[in-house]
Every structure is written in C-alpha cells, then in structure tokens.
Amino acid sequence: MKRLLSITTALTAASLLFIGCEGNQDTKLHSFDQLAGKKIVVQKGTMFETIIKEQYPTYSVKTVPTFFGIYKTLVSGEAEYGLDEDVSASLILAGGLSIDTSFTNLPPVPMGAIFNKNNTELKQQFDEFLTELEQSGQLAEIRTKWFNCITPSSQPVPKALSTEGTPIKAAIEADFPPFNLKNGKDVSGLDVELLTMFANRIGRPVQFIIMPFDELIPAVEQGKADMSISGISETEERKQHVTFSKPYNQTHMLIVSLKKEH
C-alpha cells in the first residue's frame, strides 16, 4: 500500500523532480509571464481563470470543470501547463502521476468560507467557531488529518448531530479532495468536517447543495445558499460579491506540467 504523504513531503518530492533535468528550464517556470505562447489549462471559476483572462487575455487557455480535468488535459496533450493549488497538486503527485510542480512568485492566498453580505450573524458565529478551533489546536489537527491522507474517501464521513431546526444551506463542489468530495451518497472532506462541527456547535442541521465550483459564489450572493465552504480562495474581486470568514487555510499557486523523461 502506498505510503501516506504529508503536504510538506509531497511538495518536497515535487521539487526534487527537477534535479537532474539538464537544459530544461521550461519545467521551472515561476511566473505567469513565462507562459506566453504555451497551451494552458485551468479550472473554470477559479482565481487562476480570472488572473489569466484579465491580465493575459492573449494566452491560449482551456477551462475544465474540475481540478482533475487539469491533469486529464495534460495527459491528453491538449495543454502543456496547468495552474493548480499546492494541496490538490500534492494529492495528484502522491497518487502516482509523475508531474513537475513549481511555486509561482505570488504570495499565498487565504482560504475561507463565504457568506451572503446580509448574513452577518452566521459569519460571526463561524468566525468564533474557527477561533476556538485555532486556539485549541484542533484546526491544525484536522488539516493534518486530511492533508496527510492519499485516499480521502477512506476517512469517516462527518455526521451532523442536529436534525431539528432550520438547516444551514451550504453550497459545495464535492469534487476537490481533500477539501470536499463525494463519498457514496454522502459528501466528505475537510470542508465538510468543519461545517458539520460548526452546525453541531450551534445546534442546526446541514443541507448540502452540490454544484459546480463556478456557481458557488453566485448561489451565495443570490441567497440560494446561506454559505459555502468549498476550498474558495479569497480575492478582492470575490469580496465584492460575498463576505469571507477568517481563513482556515492558506493556498499556494503552482504551475504544473507532466514530468518529462531525460
């Protein structure tokens, strides 16, 4: 059985893939500026799509509905480079696909739950919940548990305790492990565990509404969902539409490509 890799170990392994590759600087790109003339793939609705479309409108970009699609597109040869985040790229690396990864020269981005701008009470309750988890060390433990697991679907599905009262309507992608994923008829992942713990804390049930990633923010903004916790990185553009909780994780932006044999 494959050894479980931590995020640090996986990313270290990814950087070691560069050693011994002589004369191949294309696998060490650290800036989006260096992707000019390259075929690129990004997930639809992500900050990567926004950055590329707004700042590099002449680039050749293919969009796919899920982060798995990034790697399928690389394998098919339809793109040379993909843009992804450190946690999901590490899962792909640990899962056995031979990829090169390089950190971009951009700072890490906070990741939080999102709320309708009018729903200040629920956001405040969630922020208080995250503060308690942080101070007790539980938040770090939960992140480590999910980030260290190469098969997130093997983790027990978090269960809500409350069945009475108005449910929290939570929009979720359910296709971005280890943050969120389908597990049989249920949803699971780090995001689901945090939200379930929060719902149990305030004594409310949870109703998960599964939808594509690019529909999450509109759903919350339009009031179709009370909130979403689905691996959403905080950006200035997104903050114009929804309110972010305090961060529960930080994500680093990577340029990924298939490992080339030498």
Side-chain angles (χ1 to χ4, degrees):
M1 184 174 66
K2 294 181 179 178
R3 181 168 61 93
L4 301 183
L5 296 180
S6 69
I7 289 301
T8 302
T9 303
L11 290 175
T12 300
S15 66
L16 290 175
L17 291 174
F18 299 123
I19 297 176
C21 293
E22 299 179 359
N24 185 5
Q25 296 302 311
D26 284 345
T27 59
K28 296 186 178 181
L29 307 183
H30 296 285
S31 168
F32 293 161
D33 293 341
Q34 296 172 289
L35 293 171
K38 309 295 185 183
K39 292 185 292 183
I40 308 162
V41 57
V42 299
Q43 183 181 356
K44 187 177 181 182
T46 61
M47 58 184 171
F48 300 109
E49 182 186 29
T50 301
I51 291 172
I52 293 296
K53 286 189 173 181
E54 290 184 355
Q55 300 182 27
Y56 305 92
T58 62
Y59 280 15
S60 174
V61 182
K62 177 181 176 65
T63 59
V64 291
T66 69
F67 97 93
F68 286 115
I70 295 171
Y71 298 93
K72 290 178 181 178
T73 304
L74 292 175
V75 170
S76 71
E78 295 176 76
E80 302 166 86
Y81 293 93
L83 305 179
D84 197 9
E85 301 177 38
D86 52 356
V87 175
S88 48
S90 295
L91 184 68
I92 294 293
L93 177 68
L97 183 63
S98 187
I99 58 172
D100 276 332
T101 67
S102 58
F103 285 99
T104 65
N105 53 10
L106 298 171
V109 181
M111 181 182 287
I114 61 171
F115 300 83
N116 184 282
K117 289 193 172 185
N118 295 323
N119 203 342
T120 56
E121 182 179 358
L122 192 64
K123 177 201 174 296
Q124 182 178 348
Q125 289 176 317
F126 191 77
D127 282 343
E128 292 171 355
F129 162 73
L130 284 181
T131 298
E132 290 180 7
L133 285 189
E134 242 175 3
Q135 292 176 345
S136 68
Q138 279 185 280
L139 183 57
E141 292 174 1
I142 293 170
R143 282 199 303 258
T144 298
K145 178 183 72 174
W146 287 102
F147 292 171
N148 281 8
C149 187
I150 192 174
T151 53
S153 60
S154 67
Q155 293 281 6
V157 177
K159 297 295 183 184
L161 300 178
S162 301
T163 57
E164 303 295 330
T166 304
I168 301 171
K169 293 187 292 183
I172 192 166
E173 180 187 10
D175 205 4
F176 186 45
F179 290 100
N180 51 80
L181 62 146
K182 292 178 184 175
N183 193 332
K185 295 181 180 180
D186 299 311
V187 290
S188 188
L190 186 154
D191 293 335
V192 175
E193 179 162 359
L194 287 179
L195 183 54
T196 303
M197 290 176 65
F198 169 62
N200 291 341
R201 179 183 184 274
I202 64 174
R204 291 177 62 180
V206 179
Q207 176 188 350
F208 288 105
I209 308 169
I210 298 174
M211 61 182 65
F213 184 83
D214 62 318
E215 296 180 13
L216 297 173
I217 292 175
V220 174
E221 183 180 22
Q222 296 165 16
K224 297 176 182 177
D226 297 316
M227 63 178 293
S228 176
I229 178 168
S230 200
I232 303 173
S233 301
E234 183 177 325
T235 67
E236 290 303 316
E237 192 278 333
R238 288 172 175 171
K239 285 164 62 177
Q240 295 177 23
H241 303 278
V242 293
T243 302
F244 277 82
S245 71
K246 65 179 296 181
Y248 65 92
N249 188 55
Q250 283 197 328
T251 184
H252 295 79
M253 292 186 269
L254 303 181
I255 297 173
V256 300
S257 61
L258 290 187
K259 171 77 172 164
K260 296 178 182 177
E261 300 298 331
H262 300 280

